[in-house]
Amino acid sequence: MKAITLASSVLLATTTLFSFLSTSSAHMAISNPPAQAGPWSNNPSNAVHAWIGYKGKTFPCGGYKKGPVTTYSAGQVIPVRFWNFEITNYKKFPPPKGLSQSRHGGGACEFSLSYDGGKTWKVIGQYTKTCPDIYYEWPVLIPSNVPSCTDSTKCLFAFSWTAYSTDQFYHHCANVLIKGVKNGKLPTLDMTRDDMTQLKEKMDTHANGDKLSTKSSGPSSAEVKLNKSGYFASNGAGKNKGIDLGLVVIKK
């Protein structure tokens, strides 16, 4: 994790100011799989897309209750999609052209599984710089050797995001069921956590991004290939390190 001084972060601060001026409706949450809160659930919370710490939102998952349940199988690829309140029909993909989205200059996205109700999180996917973006799908493989998870109150899929231009940590969850394999193993890489005062962390971490506030170039072909290859599985090449997320600590 790199560190830079406050003096060298003028551009970052300028981009942050611009992002604050964006409409709050343009922030993002996951729509596939359907998250615990949103227009597809019993909780259409207008803060579902906000960061951890916003108006009492807590880690994990923003403190939301159980939402829709989606069933997946080991070895299945999830085409993760993002949504915001600019999108009037979340079932239609891709959304209409020209919608606003508060991407905060992109950053580092992680996708993780929890089998214990959010106490521990194991990474199954990572994308850097251009993530997130409502106009693209972000493929994430459920490793082919994971065990089954049959309690939908404890089995969770999460999107987490450390942005380029803000020191905010986003964490959105979906309740899932996993049809796994006998004697399966979860991945070993722990989810990255930062910028959460709730956990006594300083709000000082950013991630390298594409610095764009509008539509990005989408996931790179190299990262798509990696995320569909089993790289993050317990027996995969990235089991202990993952991708370099490009995290930067701002010394204030």
Side-chain angles (χ1 to χ4, degrees):
M1 186 181 293
K2 299 179 181 179
I4 63 176
T5 63
L6 181 62
S8 63
S9 64
V10 174
L11 175 61
L12 202 60
T14 303
T15 311
T16 301
L17 176 61
F18 177 80
S19 68
F20 286 150
L21 296 176
S22 301
T23 59
S24 61
S25 64
H27 285 92
M28 282 167 274
I30 51 172
S31 60
N32 188 53
Q36 293 174 331
W40 46 78
S41 72
N42 292 326
N43 186 353
S45 168
N46 62 3
V48 61
H49 47 39
W51 60 94
I52 299 299
Y54 174 79
K55 292 187 176 181
K57 287 191 69 172
T58 58
F59 179 84
C61 307
Y64 292 112
K65 296 180 179 179
K66 180 179 177 181
V69 178
T70 308
T71 300
Y72 294 108
S73 298
Q76 184 174 351
V77 174
I78 303 175
V80 176
R81 296 176 183 173
F82 296 105
W83 162 92
N84 66 25
F85 284 100
E86 300 282 301
I87 300 173
T88 56
N89 183 1
Y90 66 86
K91 295 180 180 180
K92 186 177 181 180
F93 185 85
K97 295 179 180 180
L99 298 182
S100 298
Q101 50 175 336
S102 295
R103 296 185 55 252
H104 295 313
C109 293
E110 284 192 319
F111 302 92
S112 308
L113 289 177
S114 176
Y115 278 35
D116 56 13
K119 295 178 181 178
T120 59
W121 296 93
K122 300 300 179 180
V123 174
I124 62 171
Q126 294 175 324
Y127 285 95
T128 63
K129 294 185 178 180
T130 59
C131 187
D133 192 311
I134 60 174
Y135 285 104
Y136 300 93
E137 290 184 332
W138 305 80
V140 174
L141 174 74
I142 298 177
S144 59
N145 64 338
V146 297
S148 293
C149 188
T150 58
D151 185 345
S152 61
T153 63
K154 294 183 178 180
C155 192
L156 300 166
F157 173 88
F159 150 65
S160 52
W161 173 32
T162 302
Y164 164 73
S165 65
T166 64
D167 47 8
Q168 298 165 347
F169 183 77
Y170 296 77
H171 194 250
H172 306 143
C173 304
N175 294 88
V176 296
L177 293 172
I178 305 293
K179 296 179 180 179
V181 299
K182 187 177 181 180
N183 299 321
K185 294 183 179 180
L186 282 170
T188 56
L189 183 64
D190 291 325
M191 183 192 73
T192 302
R193 300 187 329 196
D194 51 53
D195 294 331
M196 289 188 287
T197 55
Q198 171 196 344
L199 301 181
K200 302 187 184 307
E201 298 169 347
K202 294 182 179 179
M203 296 184 69
D204 60 0
T205 303
H206 302 251
N208 291 330
D210 58 13
K211 305 179 184 179
L212 299 175
S213 59
T214 55
K215 185 179 179 181
S216 73
S217 58
S220 72
S221 57
E223 289 190 349
V224 169
K225 183 177 180 180
L226 206 63
N227 276 277
K228 296 171 69 174
S229 69
Y231 180 77
F232 299 97
S234 62
N235 57 356
K239 62 181 180 180
N240 295 321
K241 57 181 182 180
I243 299 173
D244 180 2
L245 297 177
L247 300 182
V248 178
V249 176
I250 308 297
K251 292 185 177 180
K252 300 180 179 181

